[in-house]
Each structure stands twice: as structure tokens, then as C-alpha cells.
Amino acid sequence: MGTASNLSKVSIFFLVLFFFNIFVNEKPFKEKLTHLHFYFHDVATATNPTVVQVAAAPNSTGRIRPFGSLMIADDPLTETPDPSSKLLGKAQGLYSSVSQSQTTYLMAFNFVFMEGKYNGSTLSIFGRNSILSKVREIPIIGGSGVFRFARGYALARTYAVNSTTFNAIVEYDVHVLHY
Ligand SMILES: *[C@@H]1O[C@H](CO)[C@@H](O)[C@H](O)[C@H]1NC(C)=O
Ligand SMILES: *[C@@H]1O[C@H](CO)[C@@H](O)[C@H](O)[C@H]1NC(C)=O
Ligand SMILES: *[C@@H]1O[C@H](CO)[C@@H](O)[C@H](O)[C@H]1NC(C)=O
């Protein structure tokens, strides 16, 4: 009698395990690799600039973005280099001039997307941007929404920069792994 009920307990246990297994396997966590391509508009000189300098080291006046300066940006991300092309999102964050020998920024940004399935999702990027290099690689360190658990890298290439206004258009290729 005792043996029989132990047997049925064991079979119920395996039955539960079996269905639990099916349930778990029905929703596998599958990693995706996504490539995003857009243009970043850093507009320093305009009636409504998208980037502002909020701090600078003493005695650094007269230089553009000197060592120690800090910029805050809410830069449009568009489909093509044309600033009036489709708005795909915003780059909200800050960058700081951190090299005494060449123009290099520390970048700390959230890219917030506004289109289709990416609407409302963000990618967080943090890294080094040596702006005179042809291609700069900046790590993607996280994300939200469809980009939860994100990691990857962004490749930044200067498309155009005006040496008078310092307005810049930068092409971004982002490769990101997420679920
Ligand atoms: C700026 O530089 C001048 C000349 O070298 C110096 O006298 C002054 O103390 C400096 N000011 C600051 C705030 O560092
Ligand atoms: C993105 O989401 C916001 C808020 O939910 C909504 O107002 C907007 O229309 C959406 N945009 C697109 C292009 O789907
Ligand atoms: C840079 O901006 C200035 C001021 O808006 C403008 O006059 C000039 O044509 C621009 N230069 C280039 C190369 O676009």
C-alpha cells in the first residue's frame, strides 16, 4: 500500500517535471544580433542647439571643447545625413574632453529610439571617442525594452563637421546582442 502511493507520488513528480520542461522549452531565451544604422547630429551652434557646454576647467577660455570641458546633448538620430530626414531617436547624455594631447571624449549616452518595434527602447553606450580617428569603437553596455540584456559595440564615423560652428554629423553603425 505504502509502496504503491510512493510510486504514484514519484510518477506525479516526473509528470510535473515533464510539463514544466515543456513550458520552459516553449519559451527559449534566444539571443538576437541586431544592426542599427543612423546619423547623429551634434548641433552646437544654432538658435536651438542640441548640445551645450555646461562646465570647463579654469583658464581654458578661447579654446573649443578644451581638456576638462563637459557637454550635455539631446542630439537627433536620423535615417540619413540630412537633418530633416526621418527622426529615428535621440542621443541623450554627456561627453567630456578627457585627453591633454588629442581631442578625445568620454561618452556616456542613452540612445532612445522612437520608431516601430524599437519605440521607447534604449541602448546605453559608454566609452572612448577619439574624434580625429576615422572609425571609433564605443561599447554598448546595456539597454531597455527590446534591448534588455544588450551588449555590443557602436562604430562612429564623422560624416561632416563645420570647423566654424563645430556642428557635426556622425554616422553610427551599432551591432548589438539582445533577447
Ligand atoms: C589663470 O592663469 C593665470 C596666468 O597663468 C593665473 O595667474 C591665474 O591664477 C589662473 N586662474 C585660475 C583660476 O587658475
Ligand atoms: C512611440 O510611442 C509613443 C508613446 O507610446 C507614441 O506616442 C508614438 O506615437 C509612438 N511612435 C511611433 C512612430 O510609433
Ligand atoms: C560652416 O558654418 C558657417 C556658419 O553657419 C557657414 O557659413 C559655412 O558655410 C559652413 N561651412 C561649411 C563647410 O559647411
Side-chain angles (χ1 to χ4, degrees), residues 82-133:
D82 180 352
S84 60
S85 66
K86 191 177 194 178
L87 182 68
L88 301 178
K90 292 292 200 75
Q92 298 173 332
L94 51 93
Y95 60 89
S96 192
S97 189
V98 293
S99 170
Q100 290 180 299
S101 55
Q102 52 177 233
T103 309
T104 298
Y105 299 144
L106 167 78
M107 307 275 287
F109 271 89
N110 290 312
F111 289 168
V112 55
F113 297 98
M114 297 168 169
E115 263 306 303
K117 65 177 172 180
Y118 302 123
N119 191 7
S121 295
T122 67
L123 282 176
S124 299
I125 90 166
F126 184 88
R128 181 172 187 264
N129 186 1
S130 186
I131 63 164
L132 297 178
S133 302

Side-chain angles (χ1 to χ4, degrees), residues 3-179:
T3 313
S5 84
N6 277 347
L7 267 179
S8 66
K9 271 180 198 158
V10 167
S11 53
I12 284 167
F13 173 76
F14 279 108
L15 211 63
V16 167
L17 202 67
F18 175 73
F19 281 111
F20 180 72
N21 213 21
I22 286 176
F23 173 73
V24 167
N25 287 336
E26 265 180 358
K27 296 177 158 184
F29 285 109
K30 207 165 178 305
E31 210 165 17
K32 292 187 279 278
L33 179 63
T34 298
H35 173 218
L36 303 166
H37 179 253
F38 47 81
Y39 292 83
F40 171 106
H41 299 265
D42 202 45
V43 185
T45 310
T47 47
N48 189 16
T50 64
V51 59
V52 291
Q53 182 170 312
V54 296
N59 278 357
S60 58
T61 50
R63 291 168 57 208
I64 297 163
R65 296 179 192 172
F67 173 65
S69 60
L70 176 65
M71 317 291 294
I72 304 280
D74 185 9
D75 286 345
L77 303 174
T78 64
E79 196 165 39
T80 77
D82 180 352
S84 60
S85 66
K86 191 177 194 178
L87 182 68
L88 301 178
K90 292 292 200 75
Q92 298 173 332
L94 51 93
Y95 60 89
S96 192
S97 189
V98 293
S99 170
Q100 290 180 299
S101 55
Q102 52 177 233
T103 309
T104 298
Y105 299 144
L106 167 78
M107 307 275 287
F109 271 89
N110 290 312
F111 289 168
V112 55
F113 297 98
M114 297 168 169
E115 263 306 303
K117 65 177 172 180
Y118 302 123
N119 191 7
S121 295
T122 67
L123 282 176
S124 299
I125 90 166
F126 184 88
R128 181 172 187 264
N129 186 1
S130 186
I131 63 164
L132 297 178
S133 302
K134 197 165 186 290
V135 185
R136 292 87 71 184
E137 182 176 334
I138 308 164
I140 305 291
I141 59 165
S144 71
V146 300
F147 294 123
R148 282 178 182 170
F149 294 113
R151 63 207 154 89
Y153 62 96
L155 298 178
R157 296 174 179 87
T158 302
Y159 178 85
V161 60
N162 184 312
S163 53
T164 310
T165 61
F166 233 59
N167 293 347
I169 303 171
V170 183
E171 182 179 11
Y172 269 82
D173 274 291
V174 172
H175 299 269
V176 64
L177 282 171
H178 60 103
Y179 290 95

